[in-house]
Amino acid sequence: MVFNARRPSCGSKDDDDTIWLLLLLLHALFMSYDKLLLSAGCGFLVNVIKSLGFSETTEERQKEKQKIEQEFKRSDLRLNELVSRHDQQLTLVLPLFSQVSTEVTASRERIHAVKENLGACKRLLQCRRDELKKMWTDAVQHKYVLEMLEQIQELRKVPQRVVSYTAKRQYLHASKALTDALATLNGPLKAVEGLSDLRADLQTRRQQLYQRLHEELVSQVYTNSANEAFSTFQRSNSSRLNSSFTRGIGARRSTDRIEANARVRKALAEMAQNFDLDKAEVIEDADLIYPELSMSYFVAIIVESFGMLHKVPDSLETLRVQIQTELLNVVRQTTQQLSLSGATGEGNPLLMLLEIIFKQFKAIAKTHTLLLKNYLSVGQKYSVVGPQPYDLTDFWAQAQSVLQLLLTDYLDIQNAASEESAQTGFSEPTSNINSYFLRRKVPSTKRSMFKFDKSSHVGGGSNNESFKEHRRNASDASVDDNLGAQLGGSGKGSTSGLFPHEKKQREKLLICTPDQNIITKVYLPLMGYIKEIENFMKCKPGQPCSLHDFLDNYIKDTFLSKGHNRNLQLTIESLSKNQDAWRTIISPEEIKTLNLSRPLLQSTVMVERRLMETKNLIQDLPCYSEDLLKMVCALLKAYREICQAAYRGIVQPDSEDKRIYSVAWLKDEDISRFLKTLPNWTDLKTSSQKSRHNRKLHRGSFEPSEEESPLQVQQRNVREAEMLTSNLGEGGITQQEILVEISVLKELAILQESMEWFSCRVSEFANDLRRPMVNGLNAVSAECSADIAVKDGTIKVMTNLALEFDELANTCLLVLHLEVRVQCFHYLRSKSSVRTNSYVGSKDDILEPDRQVQVLTKRLSEMDEAFSATLHPRKTRYIFEGLAHLASRILIQASNYLEHIDQITVQRMCRNSIALQQTLSNITASREVALDQAKHFYELLCMQPDEILNALLERGTQFSEMQLLNALQLSCKSFGITDANQLASYQQKLSDILGAKPSKGVVV
């Protein structure tokens, strides 16, 4: 019984608390009074009885009695003390205790009465037990019947409710309503036969809702993601957006947008946990939600609905199968949008299309990541048992297949394959190029000059087979699923995975004309996309993705092997078969276009264009630089052979036992080395290297090196004349040993200019390979960038080929240089009998130079005209510079063949010198003083021996001792001095003069 006494008030707070505690203590003591009394009293008496019983004597009992009495007195004193101390409190407590005791007693009586009443009721109920049980059973049955009727009434409302929820895009409510309804029909109401039609209707609506949800999911994952990426691309590339209008709209709706997005985030947080759908907030203003947040919201709702409808495995499989078809639809829709927007006219439309598509694919992949995350959480929440969700590797594999189909269309691979099968191989043997340049009457042996079937750029059989197998797979993949009927007017292509038995051929919608050369424009961007794809798929090094393999096989087996490399091969074949390849020069328009001052061979320009095409291809296809360079090296080697054959054809005589004297001289290593060590040659090569950076030099603008003085120039020319004269010996040069036709010299000059220009181009090409390549190579994959660096061996081969072309150009120039001098020997130096007779003529011919000299001057003028039109001015100057010293020396040496001298002969020789001097002065644009020495020499022959010696004393010696001795002998003969002693006296005086007097000028 609870103590309910009111707390008394007795004065101070401390006294009241003390009294209250004592009341409580007394109440507790009285409540357990009986038990305490019995237990304490019995215990004490038992102890006393035991002590008395164990006592043996009366004394011990008396001691025990005294002890008890003492303890009793002590307790009595303690009790009296406590009673006297708490007398007032006890006075207050005892009435209260009496009141509490009275209330407790009354409560006990009331409880006792209740027990008696319950017993009476029990006895009365037992008398009518069966009747009550029957009534209770009927009540329960009626209760369940009413509940079933209410459930049936609610089930009848479910179809209309589902339609309403679906129209409002409240898919979770619709899914829950259908799931609960079907659970009720298949559970408590399973045996109700009248509900079979309703059950079938709800099953149909469940499938329709699933299809609607799938369409909505496809729209969110593919259409909305692609459209958002396309809109982002348009905003970043267009400045036509009215920013002020946009800011105004944003300001007006910023508050609503913030509230709507906050509600969406709250709904997503609740959805991640176990939430009550009935209490969840419905988001209706979806247009205010951020696109990414809206997509996350609807994807989460749809996947949650799949979990409620128990369609998670089915939806996963349908999505996996449908990836390629939906990506193809995205490509088709993007192509249509670009075509309608008119953006294809700016730049390369395919590059723009690929950029947009790849951005759309990345956005779709991001949405797939969100989708798979939701599937994983829903699968754990609903304990889904079935196939595991696909991953992003599957998505990117299908995306690569779509990109391969796109490239197949734009690269026109199928048409190229059909054309390849229709074409026949070039089996006609190629003739030896030497047969077109050698003037021999020996039939040429036909053989194949070169083949490309063993070159490294031709792909092996395994690559071809893999490429053909991939082409078959791509063709098979190009057949799309038919999309079938749609629900609710959804977009085309959203349900293709639901009807796999209906298929149709993929429609091709192209934004530009298919062309194989498009690969050069899209390769580098594609390699950047491939690098990203391989990072997404976590491909290991050395294991590229399928798109990488496809691109590599196409470039090697189709674009290079059957395209560019085939063009190079056909170029060489056309040059080797064309007999006029070395006579055809470029047009003036081409000369102006190439910024040249002299014509070149058309064949050289053609090969150079192929070289530049390859250079551009190396920049566009850097990963295939080695294959391209190997093919270029093969082209240059073949062209080198053709050029060398052309050179041999120009300088080769009709028969083997005769030779061209200038060519024979050049083959002499001593002569060749001597000419290349002369300052005029080194100056020419130095100026040629400088002119590569400035090609606007004109005739007359070339100046000799400042380090070489006029005296040094004279000494150099004299050294060259002495060397050539000493190598010629006493014999002459016949008509068959010179290049008579000016056209041949002109061809040789054009060949020289072409080879030098081509050598510079090849050398520049090789030097460019050493520098880092441009064109955005930082976007290329790491595996590809490892192959971009061109091997030093390949660059060395290119450099050596450039040096060989330059050496051929040097050979042509030196041949021309020597040929002019050889022809001087031919026309100015003949046998003595011929020379003697040629100088003897009638008096009418005194004013005219020698006939041979006239022919020589005419040929020199013709050669100057031909060289001026074909060679650079500095090269023409190099050819004719120093020729006056040689002619002067030849004229002076002609005196050795004269048996006697007279005034007519001296005048004729002076006329010859003057004629040559005028011709060479017109050619070199400077007075050739070297020929004055020949005139002075023959003027000495008109003097008497003493006069000659006196002139030497006065003027100094300009001639060699042998020349002066010959002059003295001719003078003595002309004046009839035959005395041997006198002749010896003149010779002694000459020796004394030459020993005492220093020479003036240069001795020729």
Side-chain angles (χ1 to χ4, degrees):
M1 191 67 183
V2 180
F3 180 65
N4 294 324
R6 184 175 57 86
R7 179 175 180 174
S9 179
C10 301
S12 65
K13 184 178 180 180
D14 294 337
D15 294 339
D16 292 343
D17 293 339
T18 304
I19 294 172
W20 183 249
L21 291 175
L22 287 174
L23 287 174
L24 293 177
L25 179 61
L26 287 174
H27 177 264
L29 289 174
F30 283 117
M31 288 296 293
S32 56
Y33 172 76
D34 295 335
K35 295 181 180 180
L36 289 175
L37 181 61
L38 292 175
S39 60
C42 293
F44 180 75
L45 291 176
V46 169
N47 291 333
V48 171
I49 293 172
K50 285 183 179 180
S51 62
L52 293 177
F54 287 110
S55 300
E56 296 179 353
T57 59
T58 306
E59 293 179 358
E60 291 180 356
R61 294 188 184 94
Q62 290 295 326
K63 288 180 180 180
E64 187 68 25
K65 178 180 177 183
Q66 292 176 359
K67 182 178 178 181
I68 292 172
E69 289 178 352
Q70 290 177 359
E71 290 294 332
F72 178 77
K73 290 179 181 180
R74 191 180 299 111
S75 299
D76 188 40
L77 290 176
R78 177 66 176 164
L79 182 62
N80 292 332
E81 182 181 358
L82 291 174
V83 170
S84 62
R85 185 184 304 175
H86 299 286
D87 179 67
Q88 187 177 359
Q89 288 85 353
L90 288 175
T91 304
L92 295 174
V93 167
L94 288 176
L96 294 175
F97 179 76
S98 300
Q99 183 180 357
V100 169
S101 177
T102 303
E103 291 179 357
V104 169
T105 303
S107 297
R108 285 180 178 177
E109 292 176 355
R110 287 195 296 271
I111 291 173
H112 181 70
V114 170
K115 285 183 178 181
E116 290 180 352
N117 292 333
L118 288 175
C121 290
K122 183 178 180 181
R123 288 191 296 272
L124 293 174
L125 288 174
Q126 286 179 352
C127 295
R128 305 187 66 177
R129 178 178 181 181
D130 295 336
E131 183 180 355
L132 289 175
K133 183 176 182 181
K134 181 180 179 182
M135 293 175 66
W136 176 81
T137 303
D138 293 339
V140 171
Q141 290 179 355
H142 288 134
K143 177 183 177 182
Y144 278 108
V145 169
L146 289 175
E147 289 180 357
M148 289 177 63
L149 291 175
E150 291 177 357
Q151 289 177 353
I152 293 173
Q153 189 65 26
E154 290 296 326
L155 289 176
R156 293 180 61 187
K157 298 177 182 179
V158 167
Q160 186 64 29
R161 195 178 302 165
V162 169
V163 172
S164 177
Y165 286 150
T166 306
K168 297 178 182 179
R169 300 179 70 184
Q170 298 177 10
Y171 299 122
L172 279 178
H173 294 77
S175 301
K176 181 173 177 57
L178 275 176
T179 303
D180 293 344
L182 288 173
T184 302
L185 288 172
N186 295 325
L189 303 180
K190 184 177 182 180
V192 180
E193 297 180 357
L195 298 177
S196 59
D197 294 339
L198 181 60
R199 186 183 296 107
D201 181 51
L202 292 181
Q203 289 285 1
T204 304
R205 291 182 181 277
R206 177 172 175 265
Q207 185 65 21
Q208 291 176 351
L209 178 61
Y210 165 66
Q211 294 180 2
R212 175 66 180 274
L213 289 172
H214 183 79
E215 293 172 11
E216 183 71 27
L217 182 61
V218 168
S219 177
Q220 292 290 338
V221 173
Y222 295 98
T223 307
N224 293 354
S225 300
N227 291 339
E228 181 64 24
F230 186 79
S231 300
T232 303
F233 178 83
Q234 282 186 323
R235 287 193 298 269
S236 62
N237 290 277
S238 176
S239 60
R240 295 176 295 179
L241 186 62
N242 191 339
S243 57
S244 61
F245 179 72
T246 305
R247 286 195 299 269
I249 295 177
R252 290 193 299 268
R253 308 189 67 180
S254 59
T255 305
D256 297 338
R257 186 180 299 275
I258 292 174
E259 293 178 357
N261 285 281
R263 290 198 302 271
V264 170
R265 292 189 180 94
K266 180 180 178 182
L268 287 174
E270 292 176 353
M271 200 177 301
Q273 305 172 356
N274 294 328
F275 69 104
D276 188 0
L277 184 61
D278 296 331
K279 297 180 180 180
E281 184 178 6
V282 178
I283 309 298
E284 295 181 352
D285 45 359
D287 56 332
L288 297 178
I289 306 174
Y290 294 133
E292 294 184 0
L293 198 59
S294 174
M295 188 176 301
S296 302
Y297 176 70
F298 280 106
V299 167
I301 285 178
I302 293 172
V303 176
E304 184 74 22
S305 299
F306 285 155
M308 290 183 179
L309 296 174
H310 306 291
K311 289 289 187 178
V312 171
D314 296 341
S315 62
L316 273 175
E317 182 64 20
T318 304
L319 285 173
R320 186 187 65 80
V321 172
Q322 231 179 348
I323 291 176
Q324 181 175 344
T325 302
E326 294 301 332
L327 291 179
L328 286 172
N329 292 333
V330 169
V331 172
R332 181 165 52 251
Q333 293 171 2
T334 304
T335 305
Q336 291 175 348
Q337 291 175 349
L338 280 179
S339 301
L340 295 176
S341 64
T344 57
E346 303 175 359
N348 192 325
L350 183 57
L351 278 179
M352 183 183 298
L353 178 63
L354 287 174
E355 181 181 0
I356 296 174
I357 287 175
F358 191 72
K359 288 183 178 180
Q360 290 175 331
F361 283 5
K362 288 198 295 184
I364 294 172
K366 184 178 179 181
T367 309
H368 271 279
T369 304
L370 174 66
L371 177 65
L372 294 174
K373 182 179 179 181
N374 282 278
Y375 266 115
L376 185 61
S377 61
V378 168
Q380 294 176 353
K381 180 178 180 180
Y382 291 95
S383 302
V384 177
V385 178
Q388 294 297 324
Y390 61 92
D391 54 10
L392 287 183
T393 303
D394 299 326
F395 169 80
W396 283 113
Q398 296 297 330
Q400 291 179 82
S401 299
V402 173
L403 290 175
Q404 291 175 24
L405 289 173
L406 182 67
L407 292 175
T408 301
D409 293 339
Y410 283 99
L411 296 177
D412 205 15
I413 294 179
Q414 294 180 352
N415 292 337
S418 60
E419 291 176 3
E420 175 192 349
S421 61
Q423 292 176 353
T424 57
F426 292 91
S427 58
E428 180 182 355
T430 305
S431 301
N432 192 341
I433 189 64
N434 294 324
S435 62
Y436 297 109
F437 300 103
L438 296 181
R439 295 186 291 273
R440 301 176 183 176
K441 296 181 180 180
V442 180
S444 61
T445 304
K446 289 189 175 183
R447 63 182 177 84
S448 178
M449 178 175 291
F450 48 81
K451 296 181 179 179
F452 291 86
D453 54 352
K454 299 297 184 182
S455 58
S456 60
H457 71 277
V458 179
S462 60
N463 290 335
N464 292 333
E465 290 299 327
S466 62
F467 182 65
K468 292 178 180 178
E469 181 66 24
H470 168 75
R471 186 179 298 163
R472 288 194 295 268
N473 294 338
S475 299
D476 295 339
S478 65
V479 180
D480 291 347
D481 296 332
N482 192 3
L483 304 181
Q486 304 296 316
L487 290 174
S490 59
K492 180 180 179 181
S494 60
T495 59
S496 58
L498 303 178
F499 307 99
H501 58 281
E502 299 179 2
K503 296 183 179 181
K504 66 178 181 180
Q505 188 69 22
R506 180 172 59 92
E507 299 177 0
K508 293 183 181 180
L509 177 62
L510 303 181
I511 201 171
C512 62
T513 305
D515 185 8
Q516 293 186 4
N517 293 324
I518 291 179
I519 189 64
T520 60
K521 305 299 181 184
V522 303
Y523 175 75
L524 289 176
L526 276 176
M527 289 306 298
Y529 304 151
I530 289 173
K531 180 181 178 181
E532 292 189 47
I533 291 175
E534 290 179 346
N535 291 336
F536 293 147
M537 300 180 69
K538 298 180 181 180
C539 294
K540 297 180 181 179
Q543 298 179 357
C545 61
S546 61
L547 183 59
H548 196 167
D549 289 335
F550 166 79
L551 202 61
D552 184 67
N553 291 333
Y554 168 75
I555 292 176
K556 286 184 178 180
D557 299 339
T558 302
F559 181 74
L560 293 182
S561 179
K562 301 178 180 62
H564 175 72
N565 295 342
R566 182 58 179 165
N567 292 336
L568 297 183
Q569 182 179 2
L570 293 176
T571 300
I572 295 299
E573 291 180 359
S574 63
L575 293 178
S576 62
K577 292 180 180 180
N578 188 4
Q579 300 184 17
D580 296 330
W582 307 106
R583 296 180 178 86
T584 307
I585 61 175
I586 59 178
S587 62
E589 291 76 12
E590 292 178 307
I591 295 176
K592 185 177 180 180
T593 303
L594 295 174
N595 195 20
L596 299 174
S597 59
R598 296 296 181 271
L600 301 177
L601 291 173
Q602 191 174 17
S603 60
T604 305
V605 176
M606 184 188 304
V607 176
E608 190 271 342
R609 286 174 181 170
R610 294 290 180 265
L611 189 66
M612 291 302 102
E613 289 174 3
T614 306
K615 180 180 178 180
N616 294 333
L617 278 180
I618 290 177
Q619 292 181 348
D620 294 332
L621 309 174
C623 295
Y624 303 91
S625 56
E626 278 298 325
D627 295 334
L628 291 168
L629 289 176
K630 288 178 182 179
M631 190 61 202
V632 166
C633 290
L635 167 68
L636 294 179
K637 289 178 182 179
Y639 188 61
R640 176 198 60 190
E641 298 297 330
I642 295 176
C643 293
Q644 292 175 350
Y647 167 75
R648 291 192 297 268
I650 293 174
V651 302
Q652 185 71 32
D654 293 337
S655 59
E656 295 288 348
D657 56 346
K658 293 183 179 181
R659 62 179 181 174
I660 300 297
Y661 218 94
S662 58
V663 178
W665 264 355
L666 189 60
K667 290 181 179 179
D668 190 333
E669 294 182 359
D670 294 333
I671 297 177
S672 177
R673 183 169 54 253
F674 173 78
L675 292 177
K676 291 181 179 179
T677 55
L678 292 177
N680 57 347
W681 176 261
T682 56
D683 288 344
L684 175 65
K685 301 307 293 182
T686 302
S687 61
S688 297
Q689 294 176 356
K690 292 180 180 179
S691 67
R692 293 177 185 176
H693 305 284
N694 184 11
R695 299 182 180 275
K696 297 182 179 181
L697 295 177
H698 300 283
R699 184 171 181 174
S701 62
F702 174 77
E703 296 180 357
S705 174
E706 295 180 359
E707 298 179 357
E708 194 176 13
S709 64
L711 180 60
Q712 291 173 335
V713 172
Q714 281 188 342
Q715 292 176 349
R716 175 244 299 164
N717 293 333
V718 170
R719 287 171 53 202
E720 181 182 359
E722 289 178 352
M723 186 272 300
L724 295 178
T725 305
S726 63
N727 275 276
L728 182 62
E730 295 296 329
I733 298 176
T734 63
Q735 184 82 10
Q736 291 77 18
E737 293 177 327
I738 64 173
L739 298 175
V740 181
E741 298 179 3
I742 297 297
S743 61
V744 174
L745 296 176
K746 190 173 182 179
E747 290 177 4
L748 197 60
I750 295 175
L751 179 62
Q752 192 280 333
E753 195 75 23
S754 301
M755 292 300 100
E756 184 180 66
W757 177 79
F758 188 68
S759 172
C760 294
R761 300 296 289 170
V762 175
S763 180
E764 291 174 1
F765 180 56
N767 292 332
D768 289 341
L769 296 177
R770 302 179 188 273
R771 294 193 290 267
M773 299 181 186
V774 294
N775 236 350
L777 295 187
N778 54 346
V780 184
S781 63
E783 180 181 357
C784 180
S785 61
D787 300 332
I788 291 176
V790 180
K791 297 179 181 178
D792 292 336
T794 305
I795 299 178
K796 186 176 181 180
V797 171
M798 295 283 294
T799 305
N800 292 337
L801 288 170
L803 293 176
E804 291 183 12
F805 284 109
D806 186 63
E807 184 63 27
L808 181 57
N810 296 338
T811 301
C812 294
L813 185 58
L814 291 174
V815 167
L816 293 174
H817 180 83
L818 292 175
E819 181 62 27
V820 174
R821 284 146 182 79
V822 167
Q823 295 204 16
C824 287
F825 280 115
H826 170 68
Y827 290 105
L828 297 180
R829 182 177 181 181
S830 300
K831 294 183 178 180
S832 59
S833 59
V834 178
R835 177 59 62 193
T836 301
N837 294 334
S838 65
Y839 293 136
V840 179
S842 63
K843 295 182 179 180
D844 297 335
D845 298 330
I846 292 177
L847 299 179
E848 295 295 331
D850 184 58
R851 183 176 59 82
Q852 294 288 88
V853 174
Q854 292 179 7
V855 175
L856 177 60
T857 55
K858 181 180 179 182
R859 287 193 62 81
L860 290 176
S861 299
E862 292 175 349
M863 285 189 288
D864 175 57
E865 182 180 358
F867 295 157
S868 299
T870 55
L871 288 177
H872 196 277
R874 62 173 178 269
K875 298 176 186 176
T876 305
R877 185 179 181 88
Y878 169 75
I879 291 174
F880 289 102
E881 188 180 22
L883 190 61
H885 292 80
L886 178 63
S888 176
R889 187 177 184 85
I890 294 173
L891 290 176
I892 293 174
Q893 286 184 348
S895 63
N896 297 335
Y897 302 103
L898 297 176
E899 296 179 356
H900 62 277
I901 193 71
D902 55 10
Q903 190 67 27
I904 297 175
T905 304
V906 171
Q907 292 178 357
R908 177 64 61 82
M909 297 302 293
C910 290
R911 289 292 179 183
N912 292 340
S913 177
I914 292 173
L916 288 172
Q917 188 179 33
Q918 291 177 348
T919 302
L920 292 177
S921 296
N922 292 333
I923 293 174
T924 61
S926 62
R927 189 174 185 278
E928 297 291 345
V929 296
L931 285 168
D932 290 337
Q933 294 180 352
K935 185 174 69 171
H936 294 159
F937 178 81
Y938 280 100
E939 289 175 352
L940 289 176
L941 299 181
C942 296
M943 300 179 184
Q944 293 184 1
D946 293 330
E947 294 176 350
I948 293 175
L949 295 176
N950 292 331
L952 292 177
L953 289 172
E954 295 175 359
R955 304 174 186 174
T957 60
Q958 297 180 355
F959 308 101
S960 65
E961 184 176 359
M962 293 300 298
Q963 292 172 348
L964 292 174
L965 285 175
N966 186 33
L968 284 174
Q969 291 176 1
L970 290 175
S971 178
C972 291
K973 288 181 181 180
S974 63
F975 288 100
I977 300 174
T978 58
D979 185 8
N981 294 328
Q982 192 174 2
L983 290 174
S985 174
Y986 287 140
Q987 291 178 358
Q988 183 62 38
K989 290 180 180 180
L990 178 62
S991 299
D992 294 339
I993 292 172
L994 293 176
K997 296 284 284 185
S999 62
K1000 292 184 179 180
V1002 179
V1003 179
V1004 293

